[in-house]
Amino acid sequence: MPDQPDTATVVAARAGDPAAVDRLVAGYLPLVYTIVGRAMDGHADVDDVVQDVMLRVLRNLGDLRDPAAFRSWLVAITVRQIRERFRARRGTPDVLLPDDVRDPGADFTDLAITRLELSGQRRETAAATRWLDEDNRELLSLWWLEASGELTRDEIVEAIGVTRQHAAVRVQRMKGQLETARVVVRALDADPVCADLRVVLTGWDGHPSPLWRKRVARHTRDCRECSPAWSGLVAAERLLAGMALVPVPLAMKGAVIGGAQAGGHLALAGKIAFGMSRRVLTAVLSTTAVAGGGAAVVVYHQHAEPPPARAAVIVPSTAPAPKISLPPSVAPATPPPKKPAPKKKATKAVPVLKTEKKGAAVWKFAGSKGALEDVGASWYYTWGSNNNEIPGPAGVEFVPMIWDERNVTTSTLAEAKREGDGTLLGFNEPDMAGQADMTVEQALAKWPELAKTGMRLGAPAVAFGGDQDNGWLDRFMDGAEAKKLKVDFIPIHWYGSDFSAASVNQFLGYVDAVHQKYGKPIWITEYGLMNFTGRPKYPNTAQIVAFIKGSTTGLEKRSYVERYAWFGLPAVGDSVDFGLYRDASTPTEAGKAYRAAG
């Protein structure tokens, strides 16, 4: 693939140079195709979405304010078009084509395996992407570029519109599902396939799905013959290095051009400051069927392109709303007169209780300060050493955190001591790649620096297994005791995938077990109900409310539990299904239950 065009090419294309437009489309089609193909799992709509992205980009190129931001603007459009297509597909069931008329070249995973010459665990990993949930495939399409050195974590954060810490949580959950899917692929590819697994697969139609991923994975954990499939898995990051972009298949040439012609958009006008004939754009699109290479990507730009006149852009409820600037010709000259607001009926006030224990895990969103006060939190944290971007109200304590070993610096520790009120949280999920990702030895080596602050110090918060013998936390605590290192309390995380009434006792049982093992006060700094590997992913309203009521009642009764924090306070973007507040004063039903806790 040719090198991605530079800023001068973007400027020339925007000024009307057909050759520059040619280079622009040819240079970026492999990037768009790879993101869309991975996110949509090679669905038949891939070609249509790629075509829509390229046409929207060309049609609205005149609105791009900063030519240097072209790549991020392009990828923002790409991600939004994927989400729009997902939204549309949810209301229309897929119709599977008979095997004898399906185009074998349309399978994106097969194309990736073949064109990138993948084998062994790389092939397994590519095949495993078929088994991911829809939202995780979208995230994978971006993270894959990061793992291959084409994209930075900060760029992913901008793409999905969340904080760095929350993005890390989402990436880690996705990677966990990917690992499970890799084991499923191994088990199904075994020769011969386990006899007991054949029984489990009775009734399977052969198409990957979350339900069958869950069933096969459960079998592999319990089966003596299949359980070795969990061993020897090389970290996905190492496998994906150097294999970012999938070359665009030649068969796509006709699809892109044909779709453009059918849509009647081959003449570019309006948004671009020049006209372009059908012949010129056809030539441009014809040159885009090229073999791929590598490219760096920036994945979000705050100035999203205006939607075309022929159709409104549908933004899923799980996506952050794009900032759309209307051109002067569309924006109303004067605002319409405001109608008097109807008087609100009096409603029964939701009780609010404030205890020393109740807190919240918070990432940046409009209204965070008001929501912290409204929910009755006595404390909060942001996974960072300061709360500069998320200031809290008076009387609500901010608790700083040292995220990982890179933050163990003189300046960061001094900042944490200055910003906090005498308490410091240690490393975040050091047992997970994509989080702090530290060995026990690394954490123990850095721990004395945290202790020098003189602050009350919480142990590293492991993602799971805090009660397990010889687990990460157990080995850390043994090492801390041997080295006489200070650990004042144990922060833990817990997420449950059982949404029944039993979830309350499952959670509280884990809290009890960790306390009994170490005999220290407990902080729960992240907890909630989420099924990261199956469907439904989140509980319904009644289930989440019942769990919040039961869990907070149990935590308040346990004297050794000093503090707890629901994950998380915002109910915006991709956290609408489990967050507590939509804005400063509008709690969800879960928020109302948490507001009354204590």
Side-chain angles (χ1 to χ4, degrees), residues 437-452:
D437 193 12
M438 301 168 67
T439 66
V440 170
E441 293 71 25
Q442 288 173 323
L444 289 170
K446 293 292 185 180
W447 204 250
E449 298 301 311
L450 276 65
K452 287 179 183 178

Side-chain angles (χ1 to χ4, degrees), residues 564-584:
Y564 58 86
W566 182 260
F567 182 88
L569 187 67
V572 297
D574 61 358
S575 61
V576 294
D577 294 300
F578 57 85
L580 302 178
Y581 274 73
R582 297 185 180 92
D583 53 40

Side-chain angles (χ1 to χ4, degrees), residues 139-183:
L139 184 58
L140 173 74
S141 71
L142 303 176
W143 175 76
W144 191 314
L145 293 167
E146 178 194 16
S148 62
E150 306 290 351
L151 187 64
T152 68
R153 175 56 57 89
D154 288 339
E155 290 165 342
I156 291 181
V157 167
E158 290 298 317
I160 60 179
V162 299
T163 65
R164 183 180 178 86
Q165 290 80 9
H166 189 202
V169 171
R170 288 195 58 198
V171 168
Q172 189 55 44
R173 306 308 181 199
M174 177 275 293
K175 287 165 62 179
Q177 190 175 105
L178 179 63
E179 181 175 283
T180 299
R182 291 170 63 188
V183 173

Side-chain angles (χ1 to χ4, degrees), residues 541 545 570-571 575-576 578-582 586-594:
T541 300
V545 167
S575 61
V576 294
F578 57 85
L580 302 178
Y581 274 73
R582 297 185 180 92
T586 310
T588 62
E589 291 304 310
K592 293 175 184 178
Y594 200 69

Side-chain angles (χ1 to χ4, degrees), residues 320-359:
K323 299 178 181 178
I324 300 177
S325 301
L326 294 175
S329 61
V330 179
T334 58
K338 292 185 178 180
K339 295 181 180 179
K343 294 183 178 180
K344 294 184 178 179
K345 295 182 179 179
T347 57
K348 185 178 180 181
V350 178
V352 56
L353 292 176
K354 183 170 182 176
T355 74
E356 290 299 320
K357 295 185 178 184
K358 184 168 66 176

Side-chain angles (χ1 to χ4, degrees), residues 46 85 144 269 317 325 335 424 476 591:
V46 166
R85 191 57 61 104
W144 191 314
S317 59
S325 301
L424 182 63
F476 176 86

